Amino acid sequence: MLSQAVGQSLVSDDSIADIPPHMNEVFPEPPYGTNGFKDWIIKNYKIPTAAKKAKVNGKLIINFTIEKDGRLSNFQIAKDIGYHTGEALIKLIRKSSPWKPGYQNGYAVKCGYTYPLLFSDGDLKLKSDTKRQR
């Protein structure tokens, strides 16, 4: 069974899906929690020089799988903004420690995960008007 998680929510047509009462689901969790993982990405992501020079804007989205044992696999760039930004993000996330796997009805399951990264004028866009300077 492959569940799809965005952050830590099941998503269906841009809305959070209701979990049937007979199903007990636990979503996968990155090392140090979701906020810790985000902080780790922000601290360690190296924006490619060409992307900075081009002052890229937009949303980069990658998909990957969290295996039953917490290992990460099957990386794919779902939405690319070019300049090797997607490859750099995948290279970084591959270095992540294993995650806590997802569970369904008490059994570890493979889960899909989507991770977005926003860019504004060649820097990471963290919040509405906040950018990481590097």
Side-chain angles (χ1 to χ4, degrees):
M1 163 112 210
L2 183 66
S3 299
Q4 179 68 32
V6 176
Q8 291 189 343
S9 305
L10 283 180
V11 175
S12 172
D13 299 323
D14 295 326
S15 63
I16 296 175
D18 292 325
I19 298 173
H22 65 280
M23 293 179 69
N24 296 320
E25 293 192 359
V26 176
F27 296 103
E29 186 177 324
Y32 311 112
T34 304
N35 289 333
F37 186 70
K38 178 181 173 186
D39 292 344
W40 179 77
I41 293 287
I42 291 166
K43 180 180 176 186
N44 294 292
Y45 182 75
K46 306 267 190 268
I47 300 169
T49 304
K52 285 194 78 67
K53 285 182 181 177
K55 296 187 177 189
V56 295
N57 291 295
K59 184 187 284 190
L60 167 67
I61 300 173
I62 65 164
N63 296 324
F64 55 93
T65 300
I66 297 112
E67 300 290 339
K68 292 178 185 182
D69 63 1
R71 287 179 301 111
L72 306 181
S73 66
N74 301 322
F75 290 88
Q76 297 178 342
I77 300 170
K79 182 176 181 190
D80 199 1
I81 58 171
Y83 301 95
H84 302 286
T85 53
E87 291 88 347
L89 182 57
I90 289 171
K91 183 178 177 180
L92 175 61
I93 293 178
R94 282 185 189 276
K95 295 177 183 178
S96 171
S97 297
W99 290 32
K100 293 179 186 172
Y103 286 86
Q104 188 169 41
N105 296 323
Y107 296 97
V109 293
K110 289 171 66 170
C111 296
Y113 203 88
T114 298
Y115 195 86
L117 205 54
L118 300 173
F119 289 83
S120 177
D121 294 326
D123 285 312
L124 291 182
K125 183 174 180 181
L126 307 177
K127 294 186 180 173
S128 56
D129 291 312
T130 307
K131 290 188 278 184
R132 178 187 81 165
Q133 298 298 319
R134 192 157 228 219

